[in-house]
Amino acid sequence: GDDIMDAKLKKAYIAEVQYQTKMLNHLKKWLRNLIIFSSISFVLVLFGSSIHPFIQVLGVILLIISILSCALVVLGYKNGYDNVQKIINQIK
């Protein structure tokens, strides 16, 4: 009885780890895109005013949004990573 339950539980844990790992990889891609996005925003902040004052304002707004988004993604990644470690420790 117990062995079958353990095996099923282990399988569920492994599936969960695989799922979480996939999500973490998605977050990594998001982070990379957000970093590119914030770089573009930064360029708008630096050179936007020479095109139009509004462009610079837009750049500042986008930069703030992208920095906050990066922070959220990093936080989500850290929490997800910690969860995966917890699950792996339970399998052992």
Side-chain angles (χ1 to χ4, degrees):
D2 277 352
D3 288 346
I4 294 168
M5 274 306 290
D6 286 348
K8 271 188 178 170
L9 202 60
K10 210 168 197 176
K11 234 183 196 160
Y13 277 139
I14 291 167
E16 184 60 25
V17 167
Q18 285 171 336
Y19 173 76
Q20 297 254 355
T21 304
K22 206 164 85 177
M23 290 299 113
L24 289 174
N25 288 334
H26 284 312
L27 283 177
K28 268 193 219 164
K29 281 185 196 139
W30 267 100
L31 191 59
R32 192 182 57 220
N33 292 341
L34 283 167
I35 290 168
I36 293 166
F37 183 69
S38 62
S39 305
I40 294 166
S41 306
F42 191 59
V43 170
L44 290 180
V45 172
L46 291 179
F47 305 110
S49 59
S50 61
I51 305 162
H52 192 279
F54 177 72
I55 302 286
Q56 191 173 25
V57 173
L58 188 68
V60 171
I61 294 166
L62 293 176
L63 191 61
I64 292 167
I65 292 170
S66 54
I67 290 169
L68 289 175
S69 302
C70 282
L72 283 175
V73 169
V74 167
L75 201 69
Y77 186 87
K78 193 194 164 311
N79 289 342
Y81 183 82
D82 290 347
N83 281 343
V84 168
Q85 295 309 314
K86 276 183 205 148
I87 295 168
I88 289 170
N89 289 335
Q90 289 195 326
I91 297 173
K92 286 177 185 169

mmCIF file of all heavy atoms in Angstrom, residues 27-43:
data_model
loop_
_atom_site.group_PDB
_atom_site.id
_atom_site.type_symbol
_atom_site.label_atom_id
_atom_site.label_comp_id
_atom_site.label_asym_id
_atom_site.label_seq_id
_atom_site.Cartn_x
_atom_site.Cartn_y
_atom_site.Cartn_z
ATOM 1 N N LEU A 27 9.343 33.167 -16.850
ATOM 2 C CA LEU A 27 9.668 34.408 -16.136
ATOM 3 C C LEU A 27 11.019 34.955 -16.580
ATOM 4 O O LEU A 27 11.185 36.164 -16.725
ATOM 5 C CB LEU A 27 9.662 34.176 -14.626
ATOM 6 C CG LEU A 27 8.293 34.090 -13.958
ATOM 7 C CD1 LEU A 27 8.449 33.780 -12.467
ATOM 8 C CD2 LEU A 27 7.511 35.380 -14.132
ATOM 9 N N LYS A 28 11.974 34.047 -16.825
ATOM 10 C CA LYS A 28 13.298 34.483 -17.299
ATOM 11 C C LYS A 28 13.176 35.202 -18.640
ATOM 12 O O LYS A 28 13.815 36.231 -18.850
ATOM 13 C CB LYS A 28 14.232 33.270 -17.471
ATOM 14 C CG LYS A 28 15.052 32.960 -16.258
ATOM 15 C CD LYS A 28 16.143 31.976 -16.636
ATOM 16 C CE LYS A 28 16.370 30.960 -15.560
ATOM 17 N NZ LYS A 28 17.121 29.800 -15.995
ATOM 18 N N LYS A 29 12.348 34.650 -19.533
ATOM 19 C CA LYS A 29 12.128 35.286 -20.840
ATOM 20 C C LYS A 29 11.486 36.654 -20.664
ATOM 21 O O LYS A 29 11.877 37.622 -21.321
ATOM 22 C CB LYS A 29 11.233 34.403 -21.724
ATOM 23 C CG LYS A 29 11.968 33.247 -22.356
ATOM 24 C CD LYS A 29 11.068 32.475 -23.305
ATOM 25 C CE LYS A 29 11.680 31.127 -23.609
ATOM 26 N NZ LYS A 29 10.696 30.044 -23.637
ATOM 27 N N TRP A 30 10.487 36.719 -19.778
ATOM 28 C CA TRP A 30 9.827 37.995 -19.485
ATOM 29 C C TRP A 30 10.832 39.010 -18.981
ATOM 30 O O TRP A 30 10.809 40.167 -19.392
ATOM 31 C CB TRP A 30 8.737 37.790 -18.428
ATOM 32 C CG TRP A 30 7.395 37.532 -19.035
ATOM 33 C CD1 TRP A 30 6.794 36.322 -19.193
ATOM 34 C CD2 TRP A 30 6.499 38.501 -19.578
ATOM 35 N NE1 TRP A 30 5.573 36.490 -19.798
ATOM 36 C CE2 TRP A 30 5.366 37.808 -20.047
ATOM 37 C CE3 TRP A 30 6.553 39.890 -19.710
ATOM 38 C CZ2 TRP A 30 4.289 38.457 -20.637
ATOM 39 C CZ3 TRP A 30 5.481 40.537 -20.298
ATOM 40 C CH2 TRP A 30 4.357 39.820 -20.752
ATOM 41 N N LEU A 31 11.698 38.557 -18.076
ATOM 42 C CA LEU A 31 12.695 39.453 -17.497
ATOM 43 C C LEU A 31 13.612 39.995 -18.580
ATOM 44 O O LEU A 31 13.883 41.192 -18.630
ATOM 45 C CB LEU A 31 13.493 38.716 -16.417
ATOM 46 C CG LEU A 31 14.397 39.582 -15.552
ATOM 47 C CD1 LEU A 31 13.597 40.649 -14.813
ATOM 48 C CD2 LEU A 31 15.177 38.738 -14.557
ATOM 49 N N ARG A 32 14.058 39.110 -19.467
ATOM 50 C CA ARG A 32 14.935 39.531 -20.566
ATOM 51 C C ARG A 32 14.231 40.584 -21.431
ATOM 52 O O ARG A 32 14.817 41.625 -21.756
ATOM 53 C CB ARG A 32 15.332 38.316 -21.409
ATOM 54 C CG ARG A 32 16.465 38.620 -22.391
ATOM 55 C CD ARG A 32 16.791 37.424 -23.244
ATOM 56 N NE ARG A 32 15.588 36.991 -23.956
ATOM 57 C CZ ARG A 32 15.256 35.723 -24.141
ATOM 58 N NH1 ARG A 32 15.998 34.752 -23.668
ATOM 59 N NH2 ARG A 32 14.153 35.407 -24.801
ATOM 60 N N ASN A 33 12.967 40.330 -21.770
ATOM 61 C CA ASN A 33 12.201 41.283 -22.582
ATOM 62 C C ASN A 33 12.009 42.607 -21.861
ATOM 63 O O ASN A 33 12.081 43.671 -22.475
ATOM 64 C CB ASN A 33 10.836 40.691 -22.954
ATOM 65 C CG ASN A 33 10.974 39.513 -23.906
ATOM 66 O OD1 ASN A 33 12.000 39.350 -24.559
ATOM 67 N ND2 ASN A 33 9.962 38.676 -23.967
ATOM 68 N N LEU A 34 11.756 42.538 -20.563
ATOM 69 C CA LEU A 34 11.567 43.755 -19.775
ATOM 70 C C LEU A 34 12.852 44.571 -19.695
ATOM 71 O O LEU A 34 12.815 45.801 -19.703
ATOM 72 C CB LEU A 34 11.079 43.412 -18.364
ATOM 73 C CG LEU A 34 9.595 43.043 -18.258
ATOM 74 C CD1 LEU A 34 9.307 42.424 -16.897
ATOM 75 C CD2 LEU A 34 8.711 44.257 -18.481
ATOM 76 N N ILE A 35 13.986 43.884 -19.621
ATOM 77 C CA ILE A 35 15.269 44.588 -19.581
ATOM 78 C C ILE A 35 15.501 45.311 -20.907
ATOM 79 O O ILE A 35 15.924 46.469 -20.926
ATOM 80 C CB ILE A 35 16.428 43.625 -19.221
ATOM 81 C CG1 ILE A 35 16.296 43.206 -17.750
ATOM 82 C CG2 ILE A 35 17.791 44.260 -19.486
ATOM 83 C CD1 ILE A 35 17.176 42.056 -17.333
ATOM 84 N N ILE A 36 15.186 44.642 -22.011
ATOM 85 C CA ILE A 36 15.284 45.279 -23.335
ATOM 86 C C ILE A 36 14.340 46.490 -23.381
ATOM 87 O O ILE A 36 14.728 47.582 -23.807
ATOM 88 C CB ILE A 36 14.932 44.267 -24.457
ATOM 89 C CG1 ILE A 36 16.001 43.170 -24.531
ATOM 90 C CG2 ILE A 36 14.791 44.973 -25.809
ATOM 91 C CD1 ILE A 36 15.602 41.954 -25.350
ATOM 92 N N PHE A 37 13.118 46.287 -22.899
ATOM 93 C CA PHE A 37 12.099 47.337 -22.875
ATOM 94 C C PHE A 37 12.569 48.536 -22.050
ATOM 95 O O PHE A 37 12.425 49.682 -22.466
ATOM 96 C CB PHE A 37 10.793 46.757 -22.308
ATOM 97 C CG PHE A 37 9.642 47.716 -22.306
ATOM 98 C CD1 PHE A 37 9.063 48.116 -23.496
ATOM 99 C CD2 PHE A 37 9.132 48.210 -21.111
ATOM 100 C CE1 PHE A 37 7.982 49.001 -23.497
ATOM 101 C CE2 PHE A 37 8.060 49.089 -21.107
ATOM 102 C CZ PHE A 37 7.483 49.482 -22.301
ATOM 103 N N SER A 38 13.174 48.264 -20.877
ATOM 104 C CA SER A 38 13.631 49.368 -20.029
ATOM 105 C C SER A 38 14.822 50.084 -20.663
ATOM 106 O O SER A 38 14.971 51.297 -20.506
ATOM 107 C CB SER A 38 13.967 48.881 -18.619
ATOM 108 O OG SER A 38 15.014 47.944 -18.651
ATOM 109 N N SER A 39 15.647 49.353 -21.417
ATOM 110 C CA SER A 39 16.765 49.988 -22.130
ATOM 111 C C SER A 39 16.249 50.962 -23.180
ATOM 112 O O SER A 39 16.764 52.072 -23.313
ATOM 113 C CB SER A 39 17.644 48.929 -22.807
ATOM 114 O OG SER A 39 18.074 47.986 -21.856
ATOM 115 N N ILE A 40 15.220 50.530 -23.907
ATOM 116 C CA ILE A 40 14.605 51.391 -24.925
ATOM 117 C C ILE A 40 13.994 52.628 -24.251
ATOM 118 O O ILE A 40 14.168 53.753 -24.718
ATOM 119 C CB ILE A 40 13.533 50.615 -25.735
ATOM 120 C CG1 ILE A 40 14.201 49.498 -26.550
ATOM 121 C CG2 ILE A 40 12.751 51.554 -26.652
ATOM 122 C CD1 ILE A 40 13.239 48.474 -27.121
ATOM 123 N N SER A 41 13.324 52.395 -23.115
ATOM 124 C CA SER A 41 12.731 53.501 -22.356
ATOM 125 C C SER A 41 13.805 54.492 -21.926
ATOM 126 O O SER A 41 13.614 55.708 -21.998
ATOM 127 C CB SER A 41 12.014 52.981 -21.107
ATOM 128 O OG SER A 41 11.079 51.997 -21.458
ATOM 129 N N PHE A 42 14.948 53.948 -21.486
ATOM 130 C CA PHE A 42 16.055 54.788 -21.027
ATOM 131 C C PHE A 42 16.580 55.669 -22.161
ATOM 132 O O PHE A 42 16.863 56.844 -21.963
ATOM 133 C CB PHE A 42 17.167 53.905 -20.456
ATOM 134 C CG PHE A 42 18.228 54.680 -19.728
ATOM 135 C CD1 PHE A 42 17.896 55.460 -18.629
ATOM 136 C CD2 PHE A 42 19.543 54.634 -20.137
ATOM 137 C CE1 PHE A 42 18.868 56.175 -17.943
ATOM 138 C CE2 PHE A 42 20.528 55.360 -19.466
ATOM 139 C CZ PHE A 42 20.187 56.131 -18.364
ATOM 140 N N VAL A 43 16.670 55.084 -23.347
ATOM 141 C CA VAL A 43 17.089 55.847 -24.532
ATOM 142 C C VAL A 43 16.100 56.985 -24.798
ATOM 143 O O VAL A 43 16.506 58.105 -25.099
ATOM 144 C CB VAL A 43 17.223 54.918 -25.766
ATOM 145 C CG1 VAL A 43 17.412 55.722 -27.045
ATOM 146 C CG2 VAL A 43 18.392 53.955 -25.570
#
